[in-house]
Amino acid sequence: MPPYLLGLRFDGRRVVVIGGGRVAQRRVPTLLAAGADVLLIAPEATPMLDDLAARGEITWERRAYRPGDCAGAWLVQAATDDGEVNAAVAAEAEGQGTWCVRADDAELSPAWTPASGRVGETTVGVLAGGDPRHAAGLRDVVVAGLRDGTIEARHSRRRPVGVALVGGGPGDPGLITVRGRQLLAQADVVVTDRLAPRELLDELSADVEIIDASKIPYGRSVTQERINAVLVEQAKAGRFVVRLKGGDPFVFGRGAEEVLHCAREGIPVTVVPGITSAIAVPAAVGIPVTHRGVSQEFHVVSAHVAPGDPASTVDWEGLGRAQGTLVLLMAVERMGVIADTLMRYGRSPDTPVAVIQDGTLQTQRALMATLATVVDEMTAIGVRPPAIVVVGDVVQVARQIDMLNADLGRTP
């Protein structure tokens, strides 16, 4: 007969676990997450279970099983490595009308523990005829589908409302967060920009409306005021709106402006941070923005306003004197005046510089230069936005990594 699946809500109710080995180590955290009051009975236990007992999260009686240990339990887990002990535990539980799971023998166990996983408010449980490995494999597929949005999740009585401001990461669609992908899969409308991971749009359902809100440097552009208005208009029409942005929406992404506008209009907003390109793009070519003994600080600068411009709020003199790493965004068109300014205020002309165009994408390319040569080298290969510029000795770390990688596989 097929088993009957039931979701138990323990909420402080007693669960007795007999045995302190690997099976118990897997099951106890899940029981705790469900709110169970766990009593562990075992002469010995794994270090993790020992730590849970030391922190007071479970009660551990350091002894072997004795008749009567199942009293008062809502559920019993017989998880010793002794079949006779497990049989005795199951018999006691059966005698008092308590469900018991035997870890050693699925056929003799009156109840089975499903392979389970949780994504947001959804809990998945899979049974596969007593085959735990098969069940776990199926569970993994379903959970992964819910996390990345490949399993349809839009039709729910508890669907999201309002606007979700989602950071899409530096460009590679695999670098969006799990939460961001979940919300994207539930969207009725997606308002996207040119730096958002474009490949994800092709995975959306056919009835999802995609609104292009790109701001192309020196080209076609949608004003921020219009973007704000679209978010409110769509949300007030009862549609769940995902504002998909590149990088992190609060790092030079004008995300806070959109949140404030929605809040003033009474629209709830969920903010999902993204992986900022300021850190991810240098990492993609092996450049750490900090490195022990090289740089203890890094500064992320929006260079859309040139040094010396009255609208600039950047302390370029201080950055010239500093020894830490500089990460420059939107600097391609102004790199000449930026390099001259940094050298004038104290940075050496020999300071290493890296320029990474289309970071994390298949079209990614990088050049290594110095402050004195970077402009000529950028011009020579035709660097265009979007590109990240890294100034500082950490660039040399990437060179060391490249040399070591080049030596891999060589015959000594």
Side-chain angles (χ1 to χ4, degrees):
M1 299 293 292
Y4 181 84
L5 284 173
L6 185 68
L8 297 179
R9 303 175 68 187
F10 289 115
D11 193 20
R13 295 181 172 92
R14 173 60 57 89
V15 175
V16 175
V17 179
I18 312 294
R22 289 178 296 174
V23 174
Q25 178 172 291
R26 289 202 311 268
R27 295 185 179 174
V28 166
T30 305
L31 292 167
L32 291 175
D37 173 19
V38 176
L39 170 62
L40 176 68
I41 297 175
E44 298 179 349
T46 66
M48 189 194 77
L49 292 172
D50 191 354
D51 182 59
L52 289 175
R55 297 204 306 260
E57 296 189 47
I58 65 174
T59 302
W60 178 19
E61 295 190 10
R62 293 168 170 79
R63 58 174 177 80
Y65 161 75
R66 293 196 299 251
D69 283 341
C70 298
W74 265 53
L75 176 69
V76 175
Q77 298 266 355
T80 76
D81 56 5
D82 188 324
E84 292 184 0
V85 172
N86 290 339
V89 171
E92 180 185 337
E94 180 80 14
Q96 68 181 39
T98 301
W99 290 111
C100 177
V101 179
R102 282 189 62 169
D104 63 324
D105 195 322
E107 290 301 320
L108 294 179
S109 181
W112 292 339
T113 298
S116 61
R118 187 170 177 83
V119 181
E121 295 182 344
T122 301
T123 300
V124 175
V126 180
L127 294 175
D131 184 341
R133 291 187 178 180
H134 187 202
L138 292 172
R139 180 270 320 277
D140 292 344
V141 171
V142 175
V143 168
L146 289 173
R147 283 179 174 162
D148 64 21
T150 55
I151 293 181
E152 178 62 59
R154 292 175 63 208
H155 304 294
S156 169
R157 288 184 297 176
R158 303 182 66 179
R159 59 193 298 275
V161 296
V163 173
L165 189 63
V166 174
D172 183 337
L175 295 177
I176 190 173
T177 64
V178 171
R179 181 60 173 154
R181 194 136 189 182
Q182 289 170 355
L183 292 175
L184 189 62
Q186 299 178 74
D188 298 310
V189 180
V190 176
V191 181
T192 187
D193 64 35
R194 73 183 185 92
L195 296 179
R198 296 166 299 199
E199 294 174 41
L200 295 177
L201 302 178
D202 191 44
E203 299 177 4
L204 299 174
S205 298
D207 61 338
V208 177
E209 182 178 359
I210 300 174
I211 298 176
D212 188 348
S214 296
K215 298 178 180 179
I216 302 173
Y218 315 109
R220 296 170 57 187
S221 182
V222 179
T223 66
Q224 187 63 51
E225 290 73 20
R226 180 56 190 154
I227 294 171
N228 294 347
V230 167
L231 297 178
V232 171
E233 290 168 4
Q234 295 292 335
K236 285 188 174 181
R239 310 175 84 186
F240 175 53
V241 184
V242 168
R243 173 67 169 114
L244 182 62
K245 304 171 77 72
D248 182 281
F250 280 9
V251 179
F252 304 127
R254 304 188 72 171
E257 295 177 42
E258 296 172 2
V259 173
L260 286 168
H261 183 79
C262 289
R264 293 186 184 109
E265 295 291 332
I267 303 298
V269 179
T270 300
V271 178
V272 181
I275 301 174
T276 176
S277 59
I279 298 174
V281 169
V285 295
I287 299 175
V289 294
T290 63
H291 189 68
R292 188 175 63 170
V294 177
S295 177
Q296 300 178 24
E297 61 180 345
F298 67 97
H299 305 265
V300 180
V301 179
S302 170
H304 71 287
V305 176
D309 190 299
S312 176
T313 62
V314 177
D315 181 6
W316 290 102
E317 183 176 353
L319 294 177
R321 293 196 308 267
Q323 299 300 310
T325 305
L326 302 184
V327 181
L328 308 176
L329 282 64
M330 298 173 276
V332 171
E333 302 294 334
R334 287 160 287 279
M335 199 56 216
V337 65
I338 290 171
D340 289 343
T341 300
L342 291 174
M343 289 186 288
R344 183 167 70 252
Y345 288 131
R347 292 268 179 163
S348 168
D350 295 327
T351 302
V353 178
V355 182
I356 309 103
Q357 178 182 305
D358 294 340
T360 77
L361 300 177
Q362 292 183 349
T363 53
Q364 172 182 293
R365 60 175 180 165
L367 70 84
M368 305 293 181
T370 66
L371 270 180
T373 65
V374 65
V375 175
D376 289 341
E377 296 195 39
M378 289 173 64
T379 301
I381 67 171
V383 172
R384 55 171 175 74
I388 302 292
V389 178
V390 184
V391 179
D393 291 336
V394 291
V395 172
Q396 300 286 21
V397 177
R399 288 175 170 158
Q400 295 174 32
I401 293 173
D402 285 342
M403 288 188 292
L404 291 171
N405 286 337
D407 287 339
L408 292 177
R410 289 182 177 176
T411 304

